[in-house]
Each structure stands twice: as structure tokens, then as C-alpha cells.
């Protein structure tokens, strides 16, 4: 009977290679779960294609915050007592949006039979500081309506 003996270093190398292959196979099998849901060719109906990303903003929409600031400015302009105010400025702040500013140069005049107040104001917000010009006119029912509010 002939006995063939293997060297110890050769056995250790075979075991190490076997373990390495097993680790690679297990890693590959576990990653297939992560990649199987990818839709590389656009055929899946699960993908929401309405979402887009980018750094270029679309057209500016009138937000509720802007309208809220406009109403706050209108109230500051229309509640000012011009006889007592003189050349002084009127500060305003909107607790809802965190914006604030100073109304200056309020001028009252009749415009097509309506009492109107032209004004300029600043607006300090998270977007920065901006200057606006505007006009508020009294309606036939006695309410004030902002007829112009333009960023300068």
C-alpha cells in the first residue's frame, strides 16, 4: 500500500482559497437583492418619472408667504395716521413668515375717485433684503385693497 502525504502549506492554501471563494459568493448573492430592483432600461412601472432634480428654479409662483407679507404691509400703510406721521417711517413685521421691513414715503391721493396711498417699503426675509413700491386703494365698501406691489 502506498500513502501519499500532502504538505501542510499546500492544505492551508487550499482552505484559504476555499474560504475566500465562499466569502465572494456570499457577498455576491447578498448584493443581488439590492440590485434586482434597479430599472436600468426604463421598463418598470414602479418608477415615478414625475420627479426631477436640478438647480435651476422654475417660474416664481405667488406663495402664501408673499401674500401674507403683502397683507401685513397693506395693513401698516392703511392704518398709519398720516397727519401725525409726517416724514417718519412705519415699521412692520409678519410673525407668520418672519419677514419685516420699514414703510417709507407714504403719499395719499385721489385716483379715479378712490382714496389711494402710494408707498415704498423694504422687506427683510430669509431670501434677503428687497425694496418694493406699492399702492393701496380704498374700495367702494370701505375696505383697503393692495392694487400694486412690485419688487424694485
Amino acid at each position: 500500500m502506498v500513502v501519499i502525504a500532502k504538505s501542510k502549506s499546500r492544505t492551508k492554501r487550499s482552505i484559504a482559497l476555499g474560504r475566500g471563494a465562499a466569502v465572494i459568493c456570499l457577498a455576491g448573492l447578498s448584493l443581488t437583492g439590492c440590485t434586482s430592483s434597479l430599472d436600468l432600461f426604463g421598463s418598470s412601472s414602479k418608477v415615478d418619472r414625475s420627479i426631477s432634480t436640478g438647480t435651476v428654479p422654475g417660474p416664481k409662483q405667488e406663495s402664501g408667504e408673499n401674500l401674507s407679507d403683502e397683507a401685513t404691509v397693506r395693513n401698516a400703510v392703511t392704518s398709519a395716521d398720516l397727519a401725525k406721521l409726517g416724514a417718519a417711517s412705519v415699521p412692520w413685521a409678519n410673525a407668520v413668515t418672519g419677514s419685516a421691513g420699514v414703510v417709507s414715503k407714504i403719499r395719499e391721493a385721489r385716483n379715479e375717485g378712490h382714496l389711494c396711498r402710494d408707498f415704498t417699503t423694504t422687506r427683510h426675509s430669509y431670501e434677503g433684503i428687497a425694496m418694493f413700491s406699492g399702492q393701496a386703494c380704498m374700495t367702494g365698501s370701505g375696505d383697503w385693497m393692495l392694487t400694486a406691489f412690485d419688487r424694485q
Side-chain angles (χ1 to χ4, degrees):
M1 182 169 167
V2 178
V3 177
I4 301 176
K6 292 184 181 179
S7 69
K8 205 173 189 181
S9 65
R10 199 169 164 194
T11 307
K12 284 183 180 178
R13 203 172 338 137
S14 295
I15 292 173
L17 287 174
R19 284 184 185 164
V23 168
I24 290 173
C25 287
L26 286 174
L29 289 173
S30 66
L31 290 177
T32 59
C34 297
T35 60
S36 66
S37 64
L38 290 177
D39 182 24
L40 300 176
F41 302 106
S43 61
S44 176
S45 62
K46 297 179 192 176
V47 178
D48 184 3
R49 304 218 184 277
S50 66
I51 297 174
S52 64
T53 61
T55 58
V56 179
K60 187 153 183 150
Q61 301 284 328
E62 281 295 325
S63 69
E65 291 182 357
N66 288 343
L67 296 175
S68 178
D69 286 345
E70 290 177 14
T72 304
V73 170
R74 179 200 64 219
N75 293 340
V77 168
T78 59
S79 64
D81 185 354
L82 298 183
K84 293 181 183 177
L85 187 63
S89 299
V90 178
W92 64 270
N94 187 343
V96 174
T97 64
S99 300
V102 177
V103 177
S104 58
K105 299 180 187 172
I106 301 175
R107 291 171 306 283
E108 191 171 87
R110 291 254 173 219
N111 186 6
E112 297 178 14
H114 297 286
L115 180 63
C116 294
R117 291 185 176 183
D118 295 321
F119 63 91
T120 58
T121 185
T122 57
R123 183 174 124 210
H124 308 255
S125 71
Y126 68 92
E127 295 173 336
I129 300 173
M131 182 72 112
F132 290 84
S133 64
Q135 182 182 59
C137 294
M138 188 176 287
T139 64
S141 62
D143 296 324
W144 286 92
M145 181 173 73
L146 202 60
T147 57
F149 194 73
D150 302 313
R151 187 174 183 150
Q152 301 301 306

